[in-house]
Amino acid sequence: MIARTWRGWASPSTADDYQHHYETDVAEHLGQVPGFRGARLLRRRDRGEVLFTSITFFASMDDVRAFAGEEPERAVVEQAARGALTRWDEFVTHDEVAVVV
């Protein structure tokens, strides 16, 4: 299994908007991707902003490509997310999940 990790920052005034976007639009889209195995959105205060860390799980890198395209290391940041975030990582990391407890 592959864990895809990405970070984005929002102002406190738009953080709930981003979270709602993730819970609805992102979740719906991911649910349609073959090999999608779940997601977690982490949230914390970070120097006056709100830091979101998204961790999505896929069965394989081929499944990641089905979601992210031919450049899977590039972040997928939809227009609605861009409107709620102040900045974001342009690239993601991919790690093999070694242990699930």
Side-chain angles (χ1 to χ4, degrees):
M1 184 165 41
I2 304 298
R4 177 181 170 90
T5 306
W6 169 87
R7 299 176 311 160
W9 289 259
S11 70
S13 64
T14 61
D16 289 344
D17 295 337
Y18 178 73
Q19 184 172 327
H20 178 74
H21 165 70
Y22 195 96
E23 290 172 322
T24 57
D25 300 335
V26 173
E28 181 180 336
H29 178 78
L30 286 170
Q32 298 173 14
V33 176
F36 173 67
R37 297 292 183 257
R40 301 291 183 269
L41 183 65
L42 311 179
R43 177 180 174 151
R44 71 176 165 96
R45 290 288 222 162
D46 183 43
R47 300 178 188 176
E49 291 181 291
V50 177
L51 167 61
F52 289 100
T53 302
S54 170
I55 307 170
T56 51
F57 299 95
F58 296 89
S60 69
M61 281 303 296
D62 286 338
D63 297 320
V64 171
R65 284 183 194 88
F67 165 68
E70 288 305 311
E71 292 184 84
E73 64 282 349
R74 283 215 174 267
V76 175
V77 186
E78 296 173 353
Q79 196 59 40
R82 292 171 186 265
L85 297 170
T86 57
R87 59 193 170 100
W88 52 86
D89 290 341
E90 294 290 336
F91 296 93
V92 302
T93 60
H94 296 101
D95 298 284
E96 187 175 323
V97 176
V99 176
V100 176
V101 181

